């Protein structure tokens, strides 16, 4: 038999064996996390996002590390200028970690960090700039602020029951909540603090 044919057959067998082994022994959560960080540092934001996002939305992901996975994935979307997918990702992360106060705090921080502009297209809010097509320009600042407060109130309740978290760590939740409450409410507009924010529903887009 031609030795080139034999070599090709051996390569195929080895490749198949490697594939089977990789399926039988998938990379660990730690390995995937390290890979996403490496890809991010190298500027491969699309690949880094795919891994970090899968970790952030997975309910089985380590509760202490999931929030950082979320931050990395959200940062990737910003680098890719793909803000249209940011809101759906935020809420998927919340759904996957509804009992994780660290995740709720991270997502709330993302809402407070903007950007706050977008367009209503076909009755749906699309965050960020529109490169083509039409749409009504709107501002989501107050809506995002209220959503952040909702998440932070939940996070504060959960953090208070977390005996494993140090006091200094839990204090950050309350500091972030205080910052959200005081936004645009200090100085001359401080009288607005007498208004009670309705947390049962989100305000409309401006």
């Amino acid at each position: 038999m031609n030795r080139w044919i034999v070599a090709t057959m051996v390569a195929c067998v080895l490749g198949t064996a490697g594939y089977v082994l990789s399926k039988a022994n998938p990379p660990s959560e730690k390995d995937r996390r390290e890979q996403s960080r490496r890809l991010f540092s190298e500027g491969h934001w699309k690949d880094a996002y795919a891994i970090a996002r899968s970790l952030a939305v997975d309910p089985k992901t380590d509760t202490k590390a999931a929030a950082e996975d979320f931050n990395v994935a959200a940062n990737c979307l910003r680098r890719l200028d793909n803000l249209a997918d940011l809101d759906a990702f935020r809420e998927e992360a919340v759904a996957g970690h509804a009992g994780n106060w660290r995740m709720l705090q991270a997502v709330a921080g993302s809402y407070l960090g903007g950007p706050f502009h977008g367009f209503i297209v076909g009755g749906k809010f699309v965050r960020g700039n529109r490169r083509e097509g039409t749409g009504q320009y709107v501002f989501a600042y107050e809506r995002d602020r209220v959503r952040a407060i909702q998440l932070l109130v939940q996070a504060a309740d959960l953090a208070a029951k977390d005996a494993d978290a140090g006091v200094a760590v839990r204090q950050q939740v309350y500091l972030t909540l205080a910052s959200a409450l005081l936004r645009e409410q200090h100085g001359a507009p401080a009288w607005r603090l007498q208004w009670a924010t309705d947390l049962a529903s989100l305000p409309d887009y401006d």
Side-chain angles (χ1 to χ4, degrees):
M1 185 181 295
N2 188 296
R3 57 183 173 182
W4 293 110
I5 297 178
V6 173
T8 301
M9 293 175 64
V10 170
C12 289
V13 171
L14 291 175
T16 301
Y19 176 79
V20 172
L21 287 174
S22 67
K23 286 293 185 180
N25 300 287
S28 67
E29 178 183 317
K30 180 181 177 182
D31 291 338
R32 292 164 62 203
R33 183 168 293 112
E34 291 177 350
Q35 183 182 14
S36 73
R37 305 302 190 268
R38 176 178 57 78
L39 290 168
F40 181 86
S41 65
E42 294 173 352
H44 302 298
W45 299 316
K46 185 176 181 179
D47 295 330
Y49 169 70
I51 299 173
R53 181 191 181 285
S54 66
L55 291 169
V57 302
D58 188 350
K60 298 178 182 179
T61 299
D62 178 75
T63 56
K64 293 183 179 179
E68 185 56 32
D69 294 323
F70 169 83
N71 288 331
V72 170
N75 200 349
C76 287
L77 286 178
R78 295 174 189 276
R79 300 278 184 130
L80 293 166
D81 196 21
N82 183 14
L83 299 176
D85 290 341
L86 184 55
D87 289 346
F89 169 53
R90 286 166 170 165
E91 295 306 322
E92 284 184 65
V94 169
H97 296 271
N100 181 354
W101 64 266
R102 290 179 174 85
M103 177 62 80
L104 300 182
Q105 181 185 17
V107 177
S110 177
Y111 272 113
L112 292 173
F116 305 108
H117 65 282
F119 291 80
I120 300 295
V121 181
K124 181 181 178 181
F125 175 68
V126 180
R127 192 175 297 271
N129 299 318
R130 288 278 292 166
R131 292 188 174 86
E132 58 185 20
T134 59
Q136 179 188 358
Y137 182 83
V138 293
F139 203 51
Y141 180 88
E142 189 60 22
R143 186 182 180 91
D144 289 348
R145 175 177 169 272
V146 173
R147 180 57 180 141
I149 294 174
Q150 288 178 336
L151 294 171
L152 289 167
V153 169
Q154 296 176 44
D157 289 340
L158 292 168
K161 302 172 185 176
D162 188 352
D164 295 330
V167 175
V169 174
R170 286 180 288 174
Q171 283 177 342
Q172 293 302 314
V173 180
Y174 294 99
L175 289 173
T176 306
L177 176 57
S179 176
L181 291 171
L182 290 171
R183 281 201 166 196
E184 305 300 326
Q185 316 295 321
H186 52 79
W191 59 270
R192 294 177 182 173
L193 290 171
Q194 65 186 316
W195 289 349
T197 300
D198 181 10
L199 298 183
S201 60
L202 295 176
D204 202 358
Y205 300 101
D206 298 331

